[in-house]
Amino acid sequence: MTKYLETINPLIKEYYDILSEDFPEFLLDYIETPRMQKQDGISCSRGLYYSKIYNIELWYSSLEHSIAVALVIWHFTHDKKQTLSGLFHDISKPSFNHCIDFMNGDYEKQESTEELTKTMIVESKEIMSLLKRDNIDIEEVCDYHIYPIADNDTPMLSADRLEYTLSNGLGQIKKIWDLNEIKKIYSDISIIEKEDNEPEMCFNTLEIAERFVEVMSELSILYMDDKARFGMEFIAEIMKRMSKLGLIKVSDLYELSEKEIIEKIKNCKEENISNCFKIWQEADSVKVSEEKPKDYYSVNVKGKKRYINPLVKTEDGIKRISEISTKAEECINKCLNYSFDRYVYMDFNFTDKEKVLTKK
């Protein structure tokens, strides 16, 4: 057993055991490479872990998510190349994850960093050596989009969407279900071949699928609600300002852990940045307004509407759940109809760096 698996959170280890009864040995060497280990310093919470606003208790890293996605793919395919593509799918994610998509202006797709996946793999001599050892071409593992079980178009269910729904509901975003319910949901999924010959995950039981969609809807709104959009845009703005002032380099986002970058923010010589960050960390809520508030830093951006409309087996054949369940359809529509119209703000002025801050 490798060092990583020896020190992992016991809850996450039990979760891994549900996703795959056997842990594929070939993954272990890849997990231990420096480039993959870098992902262990990035939280999947998109920076929200560091504020009391969300009060997230479970640390769940980008590495843990990547391993879990790989285990889901392995469970359903037992294909080494597809499994590795899942392991690598977030290898280019920088610290604070989707906050940097906000920094890049990619509010709705949140895919701006994915183009670096191949580059990150190529630049890792350790990973390239392992691929050569395993006789695998980089083109077979650098884009998980080519494998339908690993990833597919919204609103279909894929390994990535399934995994982050399960783990986010385990406490990574909000504690909604436990390992027993996750096992019940996971065990109900099988792979079917559709008319276009593309494989897709499918639920066997309507009631279980409805529960999955219900939780998915609750989580999806949390991903894009006022608190989340404010936090991501705020961190993105901090990164832009520190970069402009020469206090941080873009490359630092790919080489330093989030905790190391947070220390840079806290010790920032620009008090406007460090003070506002402290206020955000200690806050337990945000404020909203139909009009742009004066003298306060506010956010008015859209977010990515994540939703899943999975397949379900019925006596009349395979159906999308929205076709056969009013309850599920209402949950999905609740995600799709979420409004981004309001301004979100906190009681500080972040736009005027000369102004002395006071918490209201």
Side-chain angles (χ1 to χ4, degrees):
M1 184 176 288
T2 66
K3 180 181 178 182
Y4 173 76
L5 290 180
E6 289 174 347
T7 58
I8 194 171
N9 181 336
L11 176 69
I12 304 303
K13 182 62 171 65
E14 287 185 66
Y15 173 56
Y16 284 172
D17 290 341
I18 291 173
L19 301 183
S20 180
E21 292 183 358
D22 65 306
F23 196 107
E25 291 290 325
F26 71 87
L27 275 184
L28 297 176
D29 288 339
Y30 290 94
I31 291 170
E32 293 292 348
T33 61
R35 176 45 60 184
M36 287 304 306
Q37 285 296 307
K38 164 64 176 65
Q39 299 303 109
D40 205 29
I42 299 174
S43 170
C44 285
S45 70
R46 301 152 292 155
L48 304 179
Y49 178 84
Y50 304 104
S51 172
K52 293 180 181 178
I53 290 177
Y54 258 75
N55 196 29
I56 298 171
E57 297 182 1
L58 177 65
W59 169 267
Y60 194 71
S61 72
S62 178
L63 177 61
E64 288 164 337
H65 164 63
S66 297
I67 293 171
V69 170
L71 292 177
V72 172
I73 297 170
W74 179 253
H75 170 76
F76 286 112
T77 71
H78 275 76
D79 183 284
K80 182 181 291 188
K81 295 171 184 176
Q82 293 189 51
T83 300
L84 284 173
S85 77
L87 183 70
F88 296 147
H89 83 281
D90 271 350
I91 198 171
S92 63
K93 291 296 182 190
S95 286
F96 304 117
N97 210 315
H98 291 301
C99 295
I100 308 307
D101 290 320
F102 273 56
M103 181 177 173
N104 296 335
D106 181 21
Y107 304 106
E108 296 183 76
K109 290 187 177 180
Q110 298 181 12
E111 299 172 346
S112 66
T113 62
E114 289 185 5
E115 61 187 33
L116 295 174
T117 299
K118 183 176 180 180
T119 299
M120 292 293 182
I121 296 173
V122 169
E123 291 180 350
S124 169
K125 63 180 185 297
E126 294 86 0
I127 292 177
M128 292 303 292
S129 176
L130 291 170
L131 291 176
K132 183 177 180 180
R133 180 199 70 183
D134 294 338
N135 196 29
I136 296 174
D137 188 274
I138 187 172
E139 298 296 338
E140 297 175 301
V141 296
C142 69
D143 182 7
Y144 80 139
H145 299 295
I146 66 176
Y147 301 116
I149 296 303
D151 186 60
N152 48 31
D153 293 333
T154 300
M156 294 183 283
L157 182 61
S158 65
D160 186 29
R161 294 188 192 97
L162 172 62
E163 196 293 312
Y164 68 61
T165 303
L166 296 178
S167 58
N168 285 339
L170 186 59
Q172 198 278 118
I173 289 293
K174 182 179 180 180
K175 178 68 174 177
I176 300 176
W177 45 33
D178 58 18
L179 291 175
N180 288 330
E181 188 168 12
I182 284 178
K183 185 174 183 179
K184 180 179 179 181
I185 290 168
Y186 193 65
S187 300
D188 195 63
I189 298 172
S190 58
I191 304 297
I192 59 104
E193 293 284 342
K194 299 182 297 183
E195 293 179 359
D196 58 7
N197 294 322
E198 290 285 349
E200 186 178 339
M201 295 180 181
C202 177
F203 281 96
N204 297 312
T205 309
L206 176 59
E207 291 76 15
I208 293 177
E210 285 179 323
R211 172 60 175 163
F212 177 81
V213 171
E214 177 186 25
V215 173
M216 175 278 301
S217 175
E218 182 177 352
L219 291 169
S220 294
I221 290 172
L222 291 176
Y223 304 151
M224 61 182 176
D225 70 5
D226 295 332
K227 295 182 293 185
R229 296 195 326 282
F230 182 91
M232 288 190 283
E233 179 71 355
F234 177 54
I235 291 175
E237 184 65 24
I238 287 178
M239 294 296 98
K240 285 191 285 187
R241 293 193 188 189
M242 289 184 68
S243 177
K244 185 177 181 180
L245 293 169
L247 301 174
I248 197 169
K249 303 187 295 292
V250 173
S251 60
D252 289 337
L253 301 175
Y254 293 92
E255 300 301 331
L256 300 179
S257 70
E258 289 176 352
K259 292 180 180 178
E260 289 172 321
I261 293 176
I262 285 174
E263 286 304 306
K264 285 181 173 286
I265 296 172
K266 288 181 175 179
N267 298 319
C268 178
K269 64 182 181 181
E270 179 55 64
E271 289 187 357
N272 184 266
I273 293 174
S274 56
N275 288 350
C276 287
F277 184 77
K278 182 178 180 181
I279 293 172
W280 174 75
Q281 277 195 303
E282 295 298 322
D284 57 13
S285 64
V286 295
K287 297 183 177 182
V288 296
S289 172
E290 299 298 327
E291 307 258 338
K292 182 176 176 62
K294 295 181 179 180
D295 300 324
Y296 296 126
Y297 173 73
S298 63
V299 167
N300 180 229
V301 295
K302 295 181 179 181
K304 182 174 182 178
K305 294 188 175 182
R306 300 175 184 267
Y307 72 102
I308 305 169
N309 188 3
L311 295 174
V312 184
K313 291 181 180 178
T314 75
E315 293 181 356
D316 298 323
I318 307 296
K319 306 286 185 181
R320 292 279 167 204
I321 195 170
S322 61
E323 300 176 49
I324 57 175
S325 169
T326 301
K327 178 181 178 181
E329 183 181 27
E330 289 174 350
C331 288
I332 291 169
N333 286 336
K334 189 174 181 180
C335 298
L336 295 177
N337 295 329
Y338 189 85
S339 173
F340 303 122
D341 292 340
R342 300 185 300 180
Y343 287 87
V344 192
Y345 70 102
M346 289 183 63
D347 289 344
F348 59 72
N349 188 327
F350 190 47
T351 57
D352 182 2
K353 70 177 183 178
E354 302 299 328
K355 191 169 183 176
V356 177
L357 301 175
T358 57
K359 188 173 181 180
K360 301 292 183 182

